[in-house]
Amino acid sequence: MDSAVFAGVLVAALAAGWMPLTGAPGAELWREGAWAVEGPPGGQCGSMPLLQVKGPGSILEPQNAPILANLEKGLPAVMAKACPNVREVILVSGRTRRLMRLAAPGTETAHAPPAARSPSAVIPASPSMAGSPSAATPPPTAAAPATPEPPAAAQNAGAEEAPRRRVSASGGRAAAPPPAPVSAPETGMASASAVPSLSRRSDLRSLSSAGNIEDKCEVLLNWLESSKTGAAPAVNYRYRPPAEQMGLFRDEPMMAVFNSTYDRTENRWRLEQYEKVMSRCMGMNPSRPTPFNRDPNRKLMQYSQQFEQYRQLLNQAFLGQPGPLEPTNITRYVQQVREQTSWATQAMSSAAAAGTSRSSFDRIREQQQSAATQMALLSGGERSQVADYLGRRQAEMAPVIAEEWIRDASSAQKGAASAKVLQSSHAGIVPVLSTMDAASRTTFEERYRRLMESLIAEPLQAEIAKLQSVPATLPGVLQMTAWKATFDATFRDLRGVASVEAAGHEFNQARVRILAGALPAWMQEVGAIPVDGAAITVKRREMETLFPAREDRASAQFTQYETPLRAKEDQLRLKVEAEMRRQQQEAQAAALARQQAEPSAPRPQATGGAPGGSLAGTRGKPGAGLAEGSFLAKGLHNEGTLASLYRGDFLKIGFDRDELGFVDMYGQYLLSFGRQCGAYLPANKVEMTRQRCTAEMVTRNGYGVEISRYCTNWVTEGIGVYADPEMYSVKTQLDRLAAGDAMRHVGRVLTQRDPIAGVMAMAGNAQAIQADMEDVVQQNGCASAGLKRFEENLRLFAMNQQPIRLGETGPRLSAIAPLPGIPFRDQNYIKLIEDLVSEHSKTWAMNRYLRGSVGGVSVASRDPQGRPAKVVANYTYDGFNGRSQGSVSVKFTEGVPECMYFHDFPATCRTPNRAIVASYSDGAYQEK
């Protein structure tokens, strides 16, 4: 027996509480063919006697399983006579040991395989097997069902080492590590797979078995290289993180190489190992040449190169140098690995012993979900081993649990209430079904579907019969609506059931039938109501009771019912517009009569154009007989823009009201009209003003050269030119709008390819606009109807309102103007804000709008007529900080979007797109 085997036997003997005797071998206890078992030396039994098995090889090899089975069958009776109180023995066969638990006398074990009769485990004869903590499991009883014997590899992996005390290399006695887990037979289930064990047998050699220093270096190198992952050998000096190298100090490799766990070693022992072996392997303490051999040891030189990549690891782990692999960190890691290994073993053992019940299934599922956290330091293979076993146990339990669920559910009473309870219970059993194979899951779902159909069949047929009896009349429409409300209250939660879905299709068919039959009566009733807002409103509310749901109002039948009501609303609109034209004509006639009745006075004459006289119309009202030639702008720099303003064709104007060019055009028109046509201004005219600096701050350098100059005091003074107060108030709003967005205008100029050329172009445009406004007033005349139409549309464009279009003979009500007696109907503000933000985002410099992301739209306030005054919404955009959430607030004036305020510039008014605003005013966003 070599020293390693002797040390293993010695440690086992110390743990068992007896010392091996040096006398003759024990008596022969059992024989079969060439195999024989000798009793303990000297006949000393102790608590765990050592039995020597002799024969051709090892009896623990797989091909000798029948001999081993016969031994396990006959040995309990023999040991009952030789050592009556012994219940455990250690079989030594070759270089392998096995701990065998003896069945109680009279227990029948002949028909059970070895793994089921005794939880014995293979133990190597050398003391290189690592121990890990595990809770001991009781031996199976005779009534326990047998489990199939795991393969030899699984037996070795689940070996339990006999308790013993280990002796450190320095001669000190160390406490024995906890025993390795033992695979216990499964209980509480009809069929279960064998419980795997996380104990790993290391194939590394013991350092004490090496004879010379080269051999010891080879043993250490194999130990160090065992931490590398992957099948291909790693390149020397390749960096590996400390967490990967920590696995070297787990109990299994440490016991295999050093015969001790790391946390049981002492500083003196680690230092001794480093000085005697590791330092020489690293070339730090080479052997001195002798007279017989003066050449250097080339093999050690090669080892020193291979050990170089592990120098830091060995210095920290064995010399205690600071770092991630210092002894304190390794000891903590080793203890945590033991705890996690113990948790894994306990989880699998409890899963194996658990009965087939829903509570056991949920408990195993909780363990499986927490496995990643509980086993964070274990290898991926170990974590997968535990997760796979727990998953298999759930899969074994699932069919039984599902069958019990179906059996209990089948006893439920008929009715929709029972079906709802069953549906809720089905949602709770989904985790169980997810562990079943596809075929079993499909079979279960089919049985569940048939059960649900049987529970609601009778009440569902009764409801369908009621629906089919509803007449196709207007009262029938109300009766159908009431039936739908009752049906939804009863079966809404069961829409996933096929028969309920079929009932929904049945309702749709009945609905088409009933609404088609009642439509002629509805159209007759609507045609009989007067063209009056109150009467139309009453009828519309009645229609809403016929179509209460939102999806109902999106149907073709709703459009058929709403069409005669819209026709009535159009008649009312024409009636209101005719009344407005009549009032306008009466007002014009009264104004003309007043002018004729006044004493004759010198009338101001039109300059350079039409003869003087009264204005063709008051503000906001179209002039009579206007045509293309009623306004002159031929040959001017901005002829096209001026003509579009006159015609009210705002969509052809290539700029917005907040552009500096338009702000300048508006102000120049007021100056030109005030200078040339002051006599045509109303009596309440106001003087136009400007800002003048009265005090400046000048900064100069040390040489007296001016560096900067800025105004410290401004005063407002009149310029001696007057304007219409309504027109001038709009100019004040435009000036504030331009001042609040000054930085954007400056940035737009500076980002041009040639900023200086851009500034010069702006100056040239300003001079051209000034000349155009002087010529427009002079050519058309102060009192001409064409100039007043141009002035009114100029004001409407500045206010971002809809124009008076050329050819309109009188007032026209837009879709946003509520009819008398009819409440204002909201349009689709989600789509409106989506289009406005999307169109405006084309001018953004940095951010990118995410199309279709508008949400959270709500009307924050309304005007007295019920129209929106402020609508707020959220949207999503991509910017410097990634995807972010933005917000926008849209201000409405007289029912029309006027300003957009974004979250990053909440005080700056952004002008909405004119085409979108015009479409909204025409009712394009009304829900059909």
Side-chain angles (χ1 to χ4, degrees):
M1 181 181 295
D2 58 21
S3 59
V5 175
F6 177 76
V9 175
L10 176 61
V11 171
L14 289 173
W18 54 271
M19 290 294 294
L21 302 180
T22 58
E28 185 175 282
L29 299 178
W30 178 88
R31 173 175 289 277
E32 180 175 340
W35 297 92
V37 177
E38 294 181 353
Q44 299 293 329
C45 292
S47 61
M48 191 181 301
L50 200 67
L51 304 184
Q52 183 71 39
V53 182
K54 294 184 178 181
S58 174
I59 198 173
L60 301 177
E61 295 177 358
Q63 63 270 22
N64 296 325
I67 303 297
L68 180 61
N70 292 337
L71 172 61
E72 291 181 332
K73 179 179 177 182
L75 192 60
V78 176
M79 289 301 297
K81 298 178 180 179
C83 301
N85 297 323
V86 171
R87 291 293 176 265
E88 294 178 329
V89 296
I90 297 177
L91 295 181
V92 180
S93 183
R95 296 182 57 85
T96 312
R97 294 179 302 163
R98 165 168 284 188
L99 175 66
M100 179 181 292
R101 289 177 177 160
L102 304 179
T107 302
E108 180 62 40
T109 60
H111 301 288
R117 292 196 308 270
S118 174
S120 56
V122 176
I123 304 177
S126 63
S128 59
M129 186 66 187
S132 60
S134 172
T137 55
T141 63
T147 58
E149 182 178 6
Q155 291 181 358
N156 292 339
E160 176 177 330
E161 186 174 3
R164 61 179 183 264
R165 296 187 179 274
R166 293 182 173 84
V167 181
S168 66
S170 62
R173 175 173 291 182
V182 178
S183 299
E186 308 246 359
T187 59
M189 59 184 177
S191 175
S193 56
V195 185
S197 173
L198 289 185
S199 295
R200 302 185 307 171
R201 179 179 179 180
S202 176
D203 295 330
L204 297 173
R205 288 177 55 196
S206 173
L207 190 62
S208 61
S209 66
N212 52 40
I213 185 60
E214 293 86 351
D215 200 10
K216 292 180 182 295
C217 291
E218 182 66 22
V219 172
L220 285 178
L221 185 61
N222 290 336
W223 171 63
L224 294 170
E225 293 286 332
S226 66
S227 67
K228 292 183 178 179
T229 58
V235 180
N236 287 343
Y237 306 104
R238 180 177 67 90
Y239 170 77
R240 285 179 294 135
E244 181 181 334
Q245 304 179 57
M246 276 285 191
L248 291 171
F249 302 98
R250 290 183 60 166
D251 291 347
E252 295 86 351
M254 283 295 298
M255 283 299 304
V257 178
F258 298 104
N259 299 332
S260 177
T261 60
Y262 185 86
D263 58 340
R264 298 294 188 234
T265 62
E266 300 175 351
N267 293 335
R268 182 179 60 180
W269 177 87
R270 293 194 292 267
L271 181 60
E272 181 181 353
Q273 293 293 322
Y274 187 91
E275 291 177 349
K276 290 183 177 181
V277 183
M278 299 174 186
S279 61
R280 297 186 63 187
C281 296
M282 290 186 290
M284 300 169 56
N285 188 16
S287 302
R288 295 180 181 179
T290 65
F292 304 99
N293 184 11
R294 295 184 177 275
D295 295 331
N297 191 328
R298 298 188 180 277
K299 194 170 184 179
L300 283 180
M301 293 177 62
Q302 294 177 355
Y303 278 124
S304 66
Q305 295 176 359
Q306 294 176 299
F307 269 79
E308 184 62 30
Q309 59 181 315
Y310 300 107
R311 182 185 296 272
Q312 187 178 19
L313 180 151
L314 297 174
N315 288 346
Q316 294 177 13
F318 288 86
L319 293 184
Q321 291 184 0
L325 295 171
E326 62 181 357
T328 303
N329 294 339
I330 296 177
T331 299
R332 181 166 53 249
Y333 165 81
V334 169
Q335 294 172 352
Q336 290 174 346
V337 166
R338 288 202 195 109
E339 293 174 357
Q340 295 183 10
T341 303
S342 176
W343 182 91
T345 304
Q346 179 63 30
M348 291 189 292
S349 298
S350 62
T356 304
S357 64
R358 183 58 194 273
S359 60
S360 299
F361 181 93
D362 293 340
R363 185 165 57 252
I364 295 174
R365 184 165 178 261
E366 292 174 359
Q367 290 176 330
Q368 189 178 35
Q369 292 173 346
S370 62
T373 303
Q374 296 289 347
M375 301 185 299
L377 296 180
L378 302 186
S379 66
E382 291 171 324
R383 292 196 296 268
S384 298
Q385 182 183 6
V386 176
D388 292 346
Y389 180 76
L390 296 180
R392 288 198 304 271
R393 286 295 293 123
Q394 292 181 78
E396 292 168 353
M397 295 179 177
V400 180
I401 298 174
E403 182 63 29
E404 292 178 354
W405 187 88
I406 282 287
R407 186 171 59 252
D408 294 341
S410 301
S411 62
Q413 295 181 354
K414 305 292 184 180
S418 297
K420 292 179 182 179
V421 174
L422 185 61
Q423 183 173 254
S424 301
S425 178
H426 178 268
I429 203 173
V430 167
V432 177
L433 302 179
S434 64
T435 63
M436 298 169 60
D437 59 88
S440 301
R441 191 162 56 248
T442 301
T443 302
F444 175 88
E445 292 294 350
E446 179 62 23
R447 296 174 63 187
Y448 165 72
R449 184 191 63 79
R450 291 198 302 267
L451 179 58
M452 289 289 289
E453 295 284 358
S454 66
L455 291 178
I456 62 175
E458 295 181 3
L460 196 60
Q461 289 299 326
E463 290 296 326
I464 293 177
K466 292 180 182 178
L467 177 64
Q468 294 174 346
S469 64
V470 175
T473 60
L474 279 177
V477 176
L478 296 176
Q479 186 177 349
M480 176 192 65
T481 303
W483 180 93
K484 184 65 164 54
T486 303
F487 181 85
D488 287 344
T490 305
F491 296 98
R492 180 186 295 111
D493 298 334
L494 302 174
R495 289 177 179 174
V497 182
S499 57
V500 176
E501 293 182 357
H505 296 308
E506 185 78 20
F507 168 77
N508 291 333
Q509 295 176 359
R511 181 172 172 271
V512 172
R513 172 182 64 84
I514 296 171
L515 289 174
L519 181 59
W522 169 261
M523 297 184 67
Q524 183 178 3
E525 290 184 4
V526 174
I529 64 175
V531 184
D532 177 74
I536 296 174
T537 300
V538 170
K539 206 62 180 175
R540 178 169 288 278
R541 289 174 180 170
E542 180 181 341
M543 185 184 65
E544 291 175 353
T545 62
L546 301 179
F547 297 86
R550 185 180 184 89
E551 57 269 19
D552 294 340
R553 299 174 189 177
S555 63
Q557 288 80 11
F558 178 80
T559 303
Q560 294 175 346
Y561 275 69
E562 190 186 33
T563 299
L565 272 180
R566 284 185 176 271
K568 282 289 181 178
E569 290 178 355
D570 292 340
Q571 294 177 20
L572 179 60
R573 190 181 303 276
L574 294 175
K575 179 180 178 182
V576 172
E577 290 177 351
E579 178 64 21
M580 292 173 62
R581 284 194 297 272
R582 185 187 64 79
Q583 294 177 1
Q584 175 187 335
Q585 292 171 359
E586 292 178 355
Q588 291 177 353
L592 182 61
R594 285 195 302 272
Q595 292 178 0
Q596 293 175 351
E598 292 177 357
S600 58
R603 288 190 173 185
Q605 299 294 321
T607 58
S614 63
L615 298 182
T618 58
R619 183 172 309 286
K621 302 296 187 293
L626 289 177
E628 287 285 347
S630 300
F631 178 75
L632 302 176
K634 192 70 174 177
L636 300 183
H637 293 86
N638 298 281
E639 176 184 349
T641 300
L642 299 176
S644 296
L645 283 168
Y646 164 71
R647 292 193 300 267
D649 198 356
F650 287 1
L651 297 181
K652 291 186 178 180
I653 299 176
F655 50 79
D656 289 326
R657 61 170 184 153
D658 54 357
E659 299 291 338
L660 293 178
F662 176 74
V663 176
D664 189 29
M665 176 185 292
Y666 192 94
Q668 289 298 332
Y669 173 79
L670 294 186
L671 285 172
S672 298
F673 191 89
R675 292 191 186 104
Q676 299 183 43
C677 307
Y680 287 82
L681 293 172
N684 60 343
K685 62 185 178 182
V686 294
E687 184 179 10
M688 301 176 66
T689 61
R690 66 181 176 187
Q691 297 290 314
R692 183 171 64 87
C693 180
T694 60
E696 292 182 336
M697 173 69 72
V698 179
T699 304
R700 303 179 185 274
N701 59 17
Y703 300 97
V705 178
E706 181 178 325
I707 298 176
S708 63
R709 177 191 299 267
Y710 62 93
C711 185
T712 59
N713 187 58
W714 294 89
V715 296
T716 302
E717 61 181 12
I719 61 175
V721 180
Y722 291 83
D724 185 306
E726 190 173 356
M727 292 288 292
Y728 192 67
S729 113
V730 175
K731 178 184 182 303
T732 304
Q733 298 178 27
L734 285 178
D735 290 341
R736 286 199 300 265
L737 188 65
D741 211 12
M743 294 303 298
R744 184 169 68 94
H745 298 306
V746 173
R748 182 179 302 174
V749 174
L750 295 180
T751 53
Q752 294 179 358
R753 180 174 299 179
D754 189 353
I756 296 179
V759 174
M760 298 300 295
M762 290 177 60
N765 291 336
Q767 294 178 358
I769 288 173
Q770 181 178 359
D772 284 352
M773 292 301 100
E774 293 287 342
D775 292 343
V776 161
V777 175
Q778 185 177 8
Q779 291 180 19
N780 289 279
C782 299
S784 69
L787 183 65
K788 299 310 293 181
R789 169 65 63 84
F790 169 81
E791 176 183 301
E792 181 63 13
N793 276 343
L794 185 70
R795 183 184 70 88
L796 293 174
F797 186 87
M799 297 176 64
N800 200 33
Q801 296 182 0
Q802 297 306 298
I804 302 174
R805 296 176 178 86
L806 190 65
E808 291 181 349
T809 59
R812 183 178 65 89
L813 291 179
S814 66
I816 59 173
L819 292 170
I822 297 180
F824 178 79
R825 286 196 300 160
D826 287 321
Q827 300 190 44
N828 189 338
Y829 299 125
I830 297 178
K831 189 174 185 303
L832 173 64
I833 303 299
E834 169 70 28
D835 291 347
L836 289 176
V837 175
S838 178
E839 185 64 28
H840 193 273
S841 68
K842 297 176 181 178
T843 65
W844 296 355
M846 301 298 178
N847 300 328
R848 293 292 179 268
Y849 169 67
L850 185 63
R851 181 74 181 179
S853 63
V854 167
V857 179
S858 63
V859 179
S861 60
R862 295 182 181 271
D863 63 13
Q865 294 180 325
R867 298 173 297 187
K870 180 180 179 182
V871 176
V872 296
N874 301 321
Y875 63 90
T876 304
Y877 66 95
D878 293 325
F880 280 125
N881 298 325
R883 185 151 294 181
S884 306
Q885 189 82 5
S887 61
V888 62
S889 173
V890 181
K891 175 188 174 184
F892 289 69
T893 299
E894 296 184 6
V896 177
E898 181 185 19
C899 282
M900 301 171 64
Y901 298 93
F902 290 90
H903 69 285
D904 47 355
F905 291 95
T908 302
C909 171
R910 307 295 191 189
T911 301
N913 180 268
R914 291 193 305 278
I916 297 175
V917 173
S919 298
Y920 171 77
S921 300
D922 292 338
Y925 290 89
Q926 289 180 351
E927 296 184 347
K928 304 302 182 183

